[in-house]
Amino acid sequence: MNKTQVLVVEDDSPIRNLITTTLKTNNYRYLTAVNGESAISQTASHNPDIILLDLGLPDIDGVEVIKKIRTWTNTPIIVISARTEDADKIEALDAGADDYLTKPFSVDELLARLRVTVRRLSLMQTDMTQNKSVFENGDLKIDYAAGCAYLNGEELHLTPIEYKLLILLSRNVGRVLTYTYITKNIWGSSWENDLASLRVFMATLRKKIEKDVNSPQYIQTHIGIGYRMLRV
């Protein structure tokens, strides 16, 4: 039995049943909640490993649920919602969601998102146990203590901003980071010119770490939303 426990927050019975059947078939343990208050209560009581959260709940908007849960835990939250506008995705991700899946979704895509999140959880737990000061992902290596990054054993010559971007992405592997989240962490603000600067620095960083910038291996773009570092 998969030790990973998933809290499914969904008020639509057919969709909730589809998700729980998928989880059961793939040996995940699960809990269910049909509204926001129950989701908050179950998270506090059972401390699930992952939360699958619908935004359109009958009592509290899902974004508010994310904000409340984020006051005490960093449990990964994957939003599953019929809201398809970039603004809705950005609002949820900025509130603290880790990923966003749009309805209708395929079972295979849901399982893929779960696998990515489980890997991220495993890496986080390993890092906490070993107190790692070195990050490795494929041919990319970052020595946090030394402040250096390497690709195929060769030191990368990064600008301070490029290095800060790489650190931020590496500490959030598998998580979609919005433009606002990144610019606030890098520059302390989120103005229009910060976004333009981010795109420039991301382009130069990619040239230094990607074999093919047109088919990136490490940094994935979510158009209109932000960036995510992929686990290679």
Side-chain angles (χ1 to χ4, degrees):
M1 172 65 75
N2 194 321
K3 293 181 180 180
T4 305
Q5 185 178 61
V6 181
L7 172 59
V8 180
V9 187
E10 174 62 71
D11 63 315
D12 186 305
S13 296
I15 295 177
R16 187 173 64 251
N17 291 338
L18 170 64
I19 294 172
T20 55
T21 299
T22 299
L23 292 173
K24 185 176 181 179
T25 302
N26 289 273
N27 298 316
Y28 286 91
R29 295 183 299 132
Y30 64 86
L31 303 163
T32 60
V34 297
N35 57 47
E37 286 294 347
S38 178
I40 294 167
S41 175
Q42 296 247 44
T43 301
S45 301
H46 298 283
N47 191 28
D49 298 300
I50 302 171
I51 300 171
L52 298 179
L53 175 69
D54 180 28
L55 294 184
L57 300 171
D59 57 343
I60 309 172
D61 187 79
V63 172
E64 293 305 312
V65 173
I66 295 169
K67 290 177 180 178
K68 289 186 178 182
I69 289 174
R70 280 290 172 260
T71 61
W72 83 86
T73 181
N74 287 318
T75 298
I77 299 173
I78 302 175
V79 168
I80 300 179
S81 177
R83 301 176 190 175
T84 59
E85 295 296 321
D86 284 350
D88 294 314
K89 297 178 183 179
I90 290 168
E91 184 181 22
L93 291 165
D94 275 341
D98 294 79
D99 206 347
Y100 198 107
L101 192 58
T102 304
K103 296 177 182 176
F105 59 89
S106 72
V107 166
D108 287 342
E109 185 176 11
L110 172 61
L111 290 171
R113 302 293 180 97
L114 283 169
R115 286 194 297 271
V116 168
T117 306
V118 169
R119 284 199 298 270
R120 181 171 165 244
L121 274 173
S122 177
L123 287 164
M124 287 169 60
Q125 290 164 357
T126 301
D127 286 354
M128 287 174 65
T129 302
Q130 300 179 358
N131 192 22
K132 276 191 172 181
S133 61
V134 176
F135 169 85
E136 293 185 77
N137 187 15
D139 295 324
L140 179 65
K141 176 182 176 182
I142 305 171
D143 187 331
Y144 295 130
C148 299
Y150 305 84
L151 188 68
N152 293 313
E154 297 289 328
E155 184 173 354
L156 292 166
H157 299 289
L158 304 175
T159 67
I161 295 294
E162 289 170 351
Y163 183 72
K164 286 176 71 176
L165 280 172
L166 190 61
I167 294 297
L168 185 62
L169 289 164
S170 70
R171 292 195 183 278
N172 291 277
V173 172
R175 181 181 177 189
V176 179
L177 303 181
T178 66
Y179 298 134
T180 300
Y181 181 91
I182 297 172
T183 54
K184 282 185 175 179
N185 273 272
I186 300 299
W187 289 286
S189 59
S190 188
W191 302 103
E192 190 67 33
N193 60 331
D194 293 328
L195 178 53
S197 297
L198 172 60
R199 287 181 173 133
V200 170
F201 282 111
M202 198 62 79
T204 59
L205 175 60
R206 274 180 161 154
K207 286 180 181 177
K208 294 177 181 180
I209 69 170
E210 301 285 8
K211 293 178 181 178
D212 181 359
V213 293
N214 295 315
S215 182
Q217 183 180 22
Y218 293 103
I219 302 174
Q220 181 183 63
T221 299
H222 289 254
I223 297 172
I225 297 171
Y227 300 95
R228 172 192 348 223
M229 175 169 280
L230 302 170
R231 172 57 66 175
V232 176

